[in-house]
Amino acid sequence: MKIYLATGNKNKKREMQQLLPEHEILIPSDEGIYFDPDETGITFYENSLIKAKALYDIVHKPVIADDSGICVDALGGAPGIYSSRYAGPDFMKGKPDGTKIPQEEQNVFLINQLNEAVKKGQLPEAAYLHGKRSCHYTCAMVLYLGTDRLYVCQETFEGTLIEDISKKAGDGGFGYDPIVFLPEFNKTVAQLSADEKNGISHRGKATKQLKKIIDSLNI
Ligand code: ITT
């Protein structure tokens, strides 16, 4: 079946196609559809629903949306929903003119911001509970099948942020993956194979649950 993925992010498309090989994953740009809805929500779920509904209203076919991001405990869960726009401590929610900075710079800013917070102390409780460098990815996935007809799965993927950009490693995955370390694997997320990442990631776990719904509905 054709499933539209409400994204402009080709890395999300690649991972979703690996996760749902029996379906054809299409993104708006594959069909020349202009798609850039305002993500005005304040939660992953709200933004995922905004994207899913916006694309459903154009294609009137099953749509999945993925709103995701990295949440650093010592930073109170930031950058969270602003992860793709994050531009350092002065522009946690993105630059006023909407321009994005390169991923490498985002990575450096995030590590330095965490290092500063750890140095200053007085971290949020979660950072003491899970470790001062703890972080997790979150993925809110909405399967939108018709007006007022939708299913939601939200999942997380825990790791720790490396201490210095010189320790970044791996060229798999995308985004913040080279700086997210998984102690149990002794690897960064970017050092995992695609199958390994999909097996444990926020996106992989959310998709696994949505797949059960897709299969049970026989759509
Ligand atoms: P769309 O809104 O068009 O889907 P986007 O990339 O802007 O594309 P989000 O608003 O959901 O999507 O932001 C997700 C950001 O979170 C993404 O750009 C990365 O910076 C980060 N992110 C999410 N999942 C990730 C993953 O698996 N690995 C690394 N970084 C990830």
Side-chain angles (χ1 to χ4, degrees):
M1 181 183 63
K2 283 186 179 178
I3 298 179
Y4 285 86
L5 185 64
T7 188
N9 183 329
K10 295 201 166 119
N11 292 300
K12 289 184 183 175
K13 176 184 173 179
R14 172 174 45 79
E15 292 190 355
M16 287 299 289
Q17 187 62 77
Q18 290 160 350
L19 286 159
L20 296 172
E22 64 278 50
H23 298 290
E24 184 186 359
I25 304 299
L26 293 165
I27 61 174
S29 62
D30 292 333
E31 300 201 336
I33 297 169
Y34 174 77
F35 185 71
D36 191 17
D38 278 344
E39 297 182 32
T40 52
I42 56 164
T43 62
F44 290 105
Y45 160 64
E46 286 171 306
N47 283 338
S48 193
L49 179 56
I50 287 169
K51 291 189 269 191
K53 183 175 175 351
L55 188 57
Y56 180 84
D57 287 346
I58 297 171
V59 298
H60 300 287
K61 295 268 166 43
V63 167
I64 292 178
D66 162 322
D67 200 68
S68 45
I70 188 166
C71 306
V72 179
D73 286 328
L75 302 178
I81 60 167
Y82 305 106
S83 296
S84 85
R85 292 173 257 169
Y86 170 75
D90 295 336
F91 301 107
M92 300 274 289
K93 297 183 177 180
K95 291 198 173 177
D97 65 2
T99 55
K100 292 187 185 178
I101 63 170
Q103 183 67 51
E104 178 74 17
E105 283 178 38
Q106 290 180 305
N107 292 351
V108 172
F109 268 131
L110 193 58
I111 292 168
N112 291 345
Q113 197 179 342
L114 172 58
N115 290 349
E116 280 301 307
V118 170
K119 215 188 295 171
K120 282 192 194 136
Q122 291 187 328
L123 304 175
E125 202 182 318
Y128 292 106
L129 203 62
H130 305 298
K132 288 183 185 168
R133 308 197 67 80
S134 60
C135 62
H136 63 267
Y137 284 117
T138 302
C139 174
M141 214 169 253
V142 170
L143 170 65
Y144 202 94
L145 296 178
T147 304
D148 292 335
R149 191 157 176 244
L150 59 101
Y151 299 83
V152 186
C153 292
Q154 181 164 314
E155 267 293 0
T156 60
F157 178 24
E158 282 72 26
T160 64
L161 223 57
I162 59 171
E163 282 160 27
D164 189 279
I165 194 65
S166 64
K167 292 187 178 159
K168 73 173 181 179
D171 48 21
F174 67 99
Y176 297 91
D177 287 347
I179 64 165
V180 176
F181 185 72
L182 304 170
E184 65 274 33
F185 287 83
N186 197 28
K187 284 178 183 175
T188 67
V189 177
Q191 289 177 298
L192 299 179
S193 69
D195 282 348
E196 282 173 330
K197 179 180 174 187
N198 289 332
I200 55 175
S201 75
H202 49 318
R203 183 165 301 105
K205 289 189 279 189
T207 307
K208 199 171 165 192
Q209 296 306 321
L210 269 196
K211 184 173 152 32
K212 289 184 202 166
I213 295 168
I214 293 169
D215 291 347
S216 71
L217 293 171
N218 209 11
I219 48 173

